[in-house]
Amino acid sequence: MRITSRLVTPFIQVYGIYVILHGHLSPGGGFSGGAIFGASLILIALSFNLEAGVKQISHQTASILESGGVLGFLLTGLVAIIFGGNYLANQAAGFPIGQAGELFSAGAILIITVFVGIKVASTIVTLFYNIIEGEK
Amino acid sequence: MIYIFLLFLVILTLFLRFFKGVEVKTILTLYLLGLIIFLFSFTVAEMPPFGSPDNPAFNEVPQRYLEAGVAETGAVNIVSSVIIDYRAFDTLGEATVLFVAIAAVIATLKSH
């Protein structure tokens, strides 16, 4: 169990990051990719113990990432207002659209997807840790 | 037909009450739930057929998304362009729901 999870965890994390970053190109996105990434951190805590999981990402870091995800989402919307569009506007606010089909395209969609992914991953991890600790 | 059904109900009631020892209240609850399922199944029968081009959901809104979505948002994934560009405010609400949920969990379960 420990050897398998140690082998598999990096691949799960890379796949989670891939799903997040390709949210505007292929099926997936911030929510599903963040869930995959959070599941890899839960796998560490399940196969070793809770202390090993907390060592990977502490409570402090998790809550900062948590709030940072939502704040980043909100601020991306505010940037659109500053550049003269509606709230959360994409092309109308002058975000670079780029060539459709490439990795760095779609303007605000990529930024917001990354923030949502960070938020979902830290939410899942925080939820798991708190429920496990609450049982003690 | 309806008499056969009523006879079946009476027999079922007597069987549950006297052979299985189920309370009268439980039996009545079961019948009420069955009636609700019966009425709701009429609603399901009234629904438009799946994938038919005459459905009310196929109006000019999804047509605009499919035709102009790539040009307007730059995202090849139309689902992604809908949830993060056209309906980004809804996704912001979803993220807020997640945030409030985790805040409630921490407030309730924090052990230290």
Side-chain angles (χ1 to χ4, degrees):
Chain A
M1 179 80 184
R2 294 186 176 189
I3 295 170
T4 311
S5 69
R6 194 178 287 166
L7 277 175
V8 159
T9 303
F11 294 103
I12 298 179
Q13 292 184 343
V14 167
Y15 185 63
I17 294 171
Y18 158 78
V19 170
I20 292 175
L21 284 183
H22 284 68
H24 55 296
L25 301 177
S26 59
F31 287 96
S32 37
I36 294 171
F37 196 87
S40 77
L41 294 171
I42 289 179
L43 182 66
I44 293 176
L46 277 179
S47 55
F48 294 91
N49 48 34
L50 193 61
E51 284 71 34
V54 174
K55 208 159 66 180
Q56 298 288 323
I57 176 166
S58 67
H59 289 87
Q60 193 81 34
T61 321
S63 31
I64 288 174
L65 286 178
E66 176 95 35
S67 319
V70 176
L71 274 181
F73 199 150
L74 289 167
L75 290 178
T76 316
L78 283 180
V79 165
I81 289 188
I82 292 171
F83 285 103
N86 288 327
Y87 188 65
L88 286 169
N90 188 3
Q91 195 183 30
F95 279 105
I97 291 297
Q99 184 72 35
E102 288 187 1
L103 178 57
F104 292 104
S105 64
I109 290 184
L110 181 59
I111 306 169
I112 292 176
T113 308
V114 169
F115 280 130
V116 169
I118 291 172
K119 157 129 199 62
V120 172
S122 59
T123 298
I124 287 179
V125 170
T126 318
L127 198 62
F128 179 75
Y129 286 171
N130 276 289
I131 287 175
I132 292 294
E133 284 175 357
E135 299 232 325
K136 276 192 223 165
Chain B
M1 188 66 201
I2 192 87
Y3 292 115
I4 296 172
F5 182 68
L6 285 177
L7 189 67
F8 170 74
L9 280 189
V10 169
I11 292 174
L12 186 68
T13 314
L14 292 175
F15 174 75
L16 284 178
R17 182 72 195 93
F18 293 111
F19 287 94
K20 292 286 180 184
V22 184
E23 298 273 334
V24 177
K25 206 173 157 188
T26 316
I27 299 174
L28 285 179
T29 315
L30 277 178
Y31 286 163
L32 186 65
L33 287 177
L35 186 69
I36 291 173
I37 291 173
F38 185 66
L39 291 177
F40 278 3
S41 58
F42 276 115
T43 319
V44 174
E46 286 289 315
M47 280 171 72
F50 180 75
S52 164
D54 305 328
N55 283 355
F58 289 129
N59 49 22
E60 67 279 357
V61 177
Q63 196 181 358
R64 164 76 184 270
Y65 288 164
L66 290 176
E67 282 173 356
V70 176
E72 281 181 354
T73 66
V76 184
N77 187 356
I78 298 294
V79 175
S80 189
S81 75
V82 170
I83 66 170
I84 297 186
D85 194 319
Y86 293 115
R87 298 283 178 265
F89 207 71
D90 183 47
T91 312
L92 180 61
E94 256 179 82
T96 316
V97 166
L98 270 178
F99 186 77
V100 173
I102 197 69
V105 166
I106 290 178
T108 334
L109 289 179
K110 194 88 173 172
S111 53
H112 47 82

